[in-house]
Amino acid sequence: ASASAARRAVLAAAGLRFAAEAAAVDEAAIKESARAEGLSAAEAATVLAEAKAARVARRAGGGALVIGADQIL
């Protein structure tokens, strides 16, 4: 659940077959909520990754292993 070229490269280098899908979540709103809750950057990245994975998993319909990833710089 990421459109990141860097994450695609890591998965490809590991020899995995995968499909990369952008999750289309409102990242700005999620980041703002995380800031309001006082979450650390690592916690905010986890919340974003979970939101992305959940969105893609719903679209996938249950037969896929979905990995969500994000980072806060």
Side-chain angles (χ1 to χ4, degrees), residues 2-41:
S2 175
S4 164
R7 282 186 265 289
R8 285 194 305 265
V10 168
L11 293 171
L16 300 174
R17 291 184 317 135
F18 64 93
E21 293 189 33
V25 298
D26 187 347
E27 291 194 33
I30 294 170
K31 287 177 185 177
E32 181 59 34
S33 176
R35 276 192 283 277
E37 292 178 31
L39 299 182
S40 69

